[in-house]
């Protein structure tokens, strides 16, 4: 009786592990890397007056620019739901890959908007302009002096390459 | 004409120039000032013209992949070089000068070798090249000047300003060929941060801003013409052999100046039968390490160009007898933080180290494929390693007293890295036993053969090479007519 019960429990635990592993692998295989990007944007920028319909568009462009990280992001997608609310960022050392990921996503998104062109005013509605890619659209650095500020230092307006 | 030599072009030229990069172009600029109206100059460039719009789309300035053109015996050390009309313009436009003591490290610190000329001999040519390129700069720092920069310095960013307050006269605006004024004839730099393919042509480039030079009626420019060797007869250089359009051809000339960069130039000369002991040896380039800094309360990135500040506080000193000097480049390309309200509180610096050239780092002719140079660079030097080891302490000292939260020296993983400043393989010197050319860039033995470019640098000082090699070229051309 005891042996049959033990065997049953072991079988049950083993099945659970197999099922969980299979689920994890399946999620990874079909994991949507964009979900991690969206989670980071929601968590980090959700307090801003930002057009959330821009998030999926940005996520697609971001992933396109980082094809080499697709697999890692697909794995991280397993945790995209908790990532919306908490990340290990404050516990991680400077330079850790997960910190860099959040910095890269937030940096690229904010530079793709007009947020800094209006003095980083959090109360203002932020317009998503275009995915920030200096090779495609030049002179979009929002921190460079603009034309009119100084005749000898007139940076050209943003231009499409 | 012998049966096994390719046919010669009908003309004999006063000068044949190999390459169209900065070294060759500034040589030509000065040469044409002195040459008579009937002088004929042939210029042979291996690459072709690049279209700026296509370059931007491709994110590169070249058609020929440099890796395919060499046999790299030590693939852990990559080499970056563009082959195209104008030299491929892979440079970002930084133009610091050499420190006066860089010319005499052997005398002062017992390391390296002394240059056969000094800062004062080159200073007038620094000025002329800076004027020609429309360099933006401000304070001289430790680099003495006899005249101000032709155009005003770009704005520093906030981190630079903090460093400049801590290190007055030592942390200065980086002088650069990225335009700071429309009076250069170019748009003003807008710090897009993609300088190698500058999208607005603010950066001085030979193919764009010296193209008129090659329209001079005295010049015949042949593109996609690969020089194979220099021809030598009776103790003189008499011309070159080159390949174009599948044909083997020759050109005859009274003077040959080779400026095909520090890997191809020694390769061409080795294939020509030159046997100088130093030829091809002492291959080197500066090595850089990045440091990421998280600031505490400083909103950064307000500078006017992609690289804004130049830290010279560690470029020279008695320590150079044990470890290398370095420049601190302060980068201004926005890379924001994720934390609310602290987005701009970050800085990135690149520490550019000098090195001691080693004889065994070299360029040769690949035995299995003589149509390519082979390149050897087995390891970084102990001198450079001492610099890397001292780097964390140096950064602590640099940042002490500044509002900094933390810093991180980015580890070097995988390959040895590089800076696209290939140097040393045709070094200048007084002793023909350990150098290839003299102070006028003339070959010690074949006096009508000039060797141009950073291959002639006998040391690997912490300074971007383009301004220096351009000044040397101008001086060499002027000296021909002295």
């Amino acid at each position: 009786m005891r042996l049959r019960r033990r065997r049953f429990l072991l079988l049950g635990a083993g099945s659970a592990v197999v099922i969980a592993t299979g689920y994890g692998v399946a999620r990874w295989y079909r994991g949507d890397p964009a979900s991690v990007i969206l989670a980071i944007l929601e968590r980090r920028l959700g307090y801003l007056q930002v057009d959330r319909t821009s998030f999926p568009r940005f996520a697609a462009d971001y992933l396109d620019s980082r094809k080499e990280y697709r697999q890692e992001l697909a794995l991280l997608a397993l945790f995209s739901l908790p990532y919306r609310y908490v990340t290990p960022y404050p516990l991680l050392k400077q330079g850790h890959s997960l910190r860099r990921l959040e910095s890269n996503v937030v940096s690229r998104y904010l530079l793709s908007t007009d947020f800094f062109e209006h003095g980083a005013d959090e109360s203002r509605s932020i317009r998503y302009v275009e995915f920030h890619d200096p090779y495609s659209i030049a002179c979009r650095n929002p921190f460079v002096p603009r034309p009119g500020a100084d005749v000898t230092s007139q940076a050209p307006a943003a231009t499409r390459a | 004409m012998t049966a096994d030599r390719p046919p010669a072009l009908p003309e004999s030229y006063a000068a044949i120039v190999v390459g169209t990069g900065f070294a060759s172009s500034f040589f030509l600029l000065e040469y044409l000032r002195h040459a008579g109206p009937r002088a004929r100059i042939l210029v042979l460039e291996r690459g072709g013209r690049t279209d700026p719009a296509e370059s931007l789309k491709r994110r590169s300035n070249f058609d020929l992949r440099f890796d395919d053109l060499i046999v790299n015996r030590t693939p852990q050390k990559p080499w970056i070089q563009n082959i195209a009309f104008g030299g491929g313009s892979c440079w970002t436009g930084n133009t610091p000068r050499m420190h006066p003591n860089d010319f005499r490290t052997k005398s002062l610190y017992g390391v390296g070798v002394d240059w056969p000329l000094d800062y004062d001999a080159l200073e007038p040519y620094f000025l002329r090249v800076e004027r020609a390129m429309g360099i933006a700069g401000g304070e001289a720092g430790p680099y003495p000047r006899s005249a101000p920069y032709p155009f005003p310095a770009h704005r520093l960013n906030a981190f630079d300003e903090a460093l400049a307050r801590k290190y007055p006269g030592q942390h200065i605006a980086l002088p650069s060929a990225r335009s700071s004024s429309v009076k250069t004839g170019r748009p003003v730099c807008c710090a897009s941060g993609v300088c190698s393919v500058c999208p607005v042509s603010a950066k001085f480039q030979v193919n764009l801003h010296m193209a008129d030079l090659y329209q001079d009626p005295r010049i015949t420019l042949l593109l996609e013409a690969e020089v194979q060797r220099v021809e030598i007869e009776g103790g003189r250089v008499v011309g070159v052999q080159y390949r174009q359009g599948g044909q083997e051809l020759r050109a005859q000339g009274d003077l040959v100046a080779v400026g095909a960069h520090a890997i191809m130039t020694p390769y061409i000369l080795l294939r020509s039968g030159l046997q100088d002991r130093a030829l091809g040896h002492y291959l080197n380039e500066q090595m850089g390490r990045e440091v990421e800094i998280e600031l505490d309360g400083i909103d950064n990135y307000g500078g006017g160009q992609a690289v804004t500040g130049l830290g010279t506080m560690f470029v020279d000193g008695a320590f150079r007898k044990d470890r290398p000097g370095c420049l601190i480049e302060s980068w201004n390309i926005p890379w924001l933080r994720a934390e609310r309200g602290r987005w701009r509180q970050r800085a990135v610096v690149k520490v550019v180290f000098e090195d001691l050239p080693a004889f065994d780092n070299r360029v040769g002719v690949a035995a299995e494929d003589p149509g390519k140079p082979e390149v050897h660079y087995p390891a970084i030097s102990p001198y450079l390693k001492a610099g890397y080891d001292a780097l964390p302490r140096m950064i602590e000292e640099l940042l002490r007293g500044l509002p900094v939260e933390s810093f991180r020296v980015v580890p070097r993983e995988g390959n040895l890295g590089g800076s696209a400043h290939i140097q040393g393989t045709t070094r200048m010197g007084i002793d023909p036993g350990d150098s290839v050319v003299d102070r006028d860039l003339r070959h010690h033995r074949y006096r009508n053969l000039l060797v141009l470019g950073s291959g002639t640098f006998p040391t690997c000082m912490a300074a971007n090479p383009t301004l220096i090699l351009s000044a040397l070229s101008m001086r060499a051309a002027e000296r021909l007519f002295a």
Side-chain angles (χ1 to χ4, degrees):
Chain A
M1 187 75 165
R2 195 178 287 172
L3 272 174
R4 278 165 67 184
R5 188 170 159 227
R6 188 180 296 165
R7 191 181 294 171
F8 176 77
L9 287 172
L10 280 173
L11 195 63
S15 301
V17 168
V18 167
I19 290 168
T21 304
Y23 172 75
V25 169
R27 272 294 301 272
W28 178 26
Y29 186 73
R30 291 186 310 216
D32 180 10
S35 62
V36 181
I37 312 299
L38 295 173
I40 291 171
L41 290 173
E42 270 300 339
R43 181 167 180 278
R44 285 291 181 185
L45 303 177
Y47 56 88
L48 292 174
Q49 310 300 316
V50 65
D51 175 11
R52 280 169 173 71
T53 62
S54 66
F55 283 1
R57 183 156 53 117
F58 169 82
D61 285 337
Y62 185 89
L63 289 170
D64 199 49
S65 73
R66 300 281 184 140
K67 290 187 175 72
E68 66 273 27
Y69 294 111
R70 228 179 157 86
Q71 290 274 50
E72 284 95 329
L73 289 171
L75 179 61
L76 207 53
L78 288 173
F79 306 99
S80 56
L81 183 56
Y83 233 87
R84 276 198 59 173
Y85 303 101
V86 64
T87 73
Y89 189 102
L91 304 174
L92 299 171
K93 279 173 61 172
Q94 182 188 352
H96 191 281
S97 57
L98 291 179
R99 274 182 72 125
R100 293 176 80 84
L101 172 64
E102 290 198 41
S103 293
N104 290 345
V105 169
V106 168
S107 178
R108 207 72 179 260
Y109 182 85
L110 288 178
L111 290 171
S112 302
T113 69
D114 64 355
F115 182 60
F116 292 108
E117 284 156 42
H118 296 279
D121 181 355
E122 293 185 14
S123 66
R124 196 184 163 279
S125 287
I126 298 164
R127 184 171 66 95
Y128 185 80
V129 177
E130 184 157 357
F131 184 71
H132 182 72
D133 179 1
Y135 289 100
S136 300
I137 182 161
C139 300
R140 275 269 311 146
N141 185 334
F143 309 119
V144 172
R146 287 284 147 226
D150 178 352
V151 269
T152 61
S153 298
Q154 289 191 1
T159 54
R160 182 167 300 282
Chain B
M1 186 182 80
T2 58
D4 58 352
R5 288 165 91 187
L9 293 181
E11 275 192 79
S12 178
Y13 295 90
I16 298 173
V17 178
V18 181
T20 56
F22 280 94
S24 295
S25 297
F26 275 90
F27 173 84
L28 268 175
L29 182 68
E30 185 63 18
Y31 185 91
L32 288 172
R33 267 179 18 96
H34 300 273
R38 291 180 207 263
R40 293 288 175 261
I41 300 114
L42 176 66
V43 181
L44 299 161
E45 164 57 53
R46 182 175 185 173
R49 286 191 197 273
T50 54
D51 174 71
E54 273 304 308
S55 295
L56 194 53
K57 213 184 277 185
R58 261 200 329 255
R59 307 183 180 206
S60 71
N61 268 320
F62 54 91
D63 292 322
L64 300 173
R65 265 179 43 89
F66 190 66
D67 286 344
D68 295 339
L69 304 179
I70 65 173
V71 176
N72 190 347
R73 299 293 187 200
T74 45
Q76 68 272 25
K77 174 72 186 81
W79 300 99
I80 302 167
Q81 181 67 47
N82 289 355
I83 308 286
F85 171 68
S89 293
C90 64
W91 80 315
T92 53
N94 296 353
T95 56
R97 294 181 171 191
M98 286 169 69
H99 190 283
N101 289 350
D102 288 342
F103 290 85
R104 43 198 194 116
T105 56
K106 182 69 174 177
S107 300
L108 289 174
Y109 309 119
V111 295
V113 296
D114 288 349
W115 287 51
L117 71 172
D118 61 15
Y119 185 95
D120 290 339
L122 210 48
E123 205 270 336
Y125 304 94
F126 284 151
L127 281 180
R128 292 174 62 190
V129 173
E130 287 164 350
R131 273 199 291 271
M133 291 187 185
I135 300 299
E139 281 182 273
Y143 312 106
R145 302 186 60 82
S146 56
Y149 278 105
F151 291 98
H154 287 278
R155 193 169 87 174
L156 293 176
N157 65 29
F159 180 61
D160 289 318
E161 286 168 354
L163 279 173
R165 283 191 292 273
K166 181 178 175 184
Y167 293 101
Q170 292 181 292
H171 192 80
I172 59 176
L174 176 78
S176 83
R178 297 180 287 268
S179 173
S180 67
S181 167
V182 295
K183 293 176 186 169
T184 61
R186 311 193 298 273
V188 172
C189 175
C190 58
S192 289
V194 291
C195 302
S196 63
V197 286
C198 178
V200 297
S201 302
K203 179 190 73 171
F204 185 89
Q205 291 181 202
V206 169
N207 60 321
L208 298 178
H209 307 112
M210 292 182 86
D212 283 353
L213 175 73
Y214 290 91
Q215 301 299 314
D216 190 299
R218 291 170 288 180
I219 290 181
T220 300
L221 170 65
L222 299 181
L223 298 178
E224 297 178 1
E226 181 190 350
V227 171
Q228 303 289 297
R229 55 180 58 82
V230 169
E231 290 191 329
I232 300 169
E233 284 177 17
R236 286 178 54 82
V237 165
V238 297
V240 300
Q241 291 181 13
Y242 65 100
R243 185 186 296 151
Q244 187 186 36
Q247 286 190 287
E248 305 288 332
L249 299 159
R250 289 169 60 225
Q252 297 165 99
D254 298 328
L255 176 87
V256 174
V258 184
H261 81 72
I263 287 181
M264 286 302 174
T265 291
Y267 164 72
I268 290 169
L269 298 181
L270 285 166
R271 284 187 56 148
S272 308
L274 273 68
Q275 295 179 332
D276 310 84
R277 178 182 173 272
L279 180 60
H281 291 268
Y282 299 109
L283 172 68
N284 68 82
E285 62 176 345
Q286 296 93 358
M287 297 294 199
R289 296 289 300 274
E290 285 188 5
V291 182
E292 296 166 356
I293 302 160
E294 304 214 322
L295 303 171
D296 185 9
I298 299 183
D299 283 340
N300 199 23
Y301 297 129
Q305 54 175 342
V307 188
T308 42
L310 182 69
T312 65
M313 58 290 281
F314 303 119
V315 77
D316 185 48
F319 63 86
R320 289 173 85 180
K321 64 179 174 46
D322 299 314
R323 57 181 173 82
C326 65
L327 289 178
I328 311 279
E329 294 178 350
S330 168
W331 284 67
N332 187 54
I333 302 171
W335 178 41
L336 308 177
R337 289 172 68 166
E339 299 103 305
R340 180 178 185 173
R342 310 196 67 184
W343 306 290
R344 295 170 63 181
Q345 293 180 17
R346 175 179 269 155
V348 175
V349 300
K350 184 171 166 188
V351 183
V352 180
F353 285 102
E354 65 173 336
D355 197 3
L356 289 180
F359 184 80
D360 289 339
N361 294 340
R362 63 185 179 84
V363 174
V365 178
E368 73 273 32
D369 187 357
K372 292 184 180 177
E374 63 175 15
V375 186
H376 300 256
Y377 193 98
I380 63 171
S381 68
Y383 189 70
L384 179 60
K385 191 163 180 313
Y388 284 178
D389 290 344
L391 181 56
R393 283 194 322 271
M394 191 175 71
I395 298 299
E396 275 178 22
E397 183 188 329
L398 179 77
L399 301 178
R400 193 170 300 125
L402 298 180
V404 167
E405 201 174 273
S406 61
F407 74 86
R408 168 181 177 252
V409 176
V410 178
R412 175 156 315 288
E413 289 163 11
N415 66 47
L416 296 179
S419 51
H421 299 162
I422 309 171
Q423 303 172 160
T425 50
T426 52
R427 63 184 351 198
M428 70 169 80
I430 297 170
D431 177 9
D434 199 32
S435 61
V436 178
V437 298
D438 65 12
R439 53 186 279 156
D440 299 332
L441 307 188
R442 296 173 87 146
H443 190 266
H444 285 301
R445 183 174 172 191
Y446 303 111
R447 302 300 286 161
N448 64 335
L449 171 64
L450 269 73
V451 182
L452 310 175
S454 53
T456 61
F457 295 1
T459 62
C460 177
M461 61 287 175
N464 306 68
T466 302
L467 173 73
I468 300 150
L469 60 88
S470 302
L472 284 168
S473 280
M474 279 194 112
R475 181 179 178 281
E478 187 183 79
R479 296 283 296 165
L480 284 173
F481 298 91

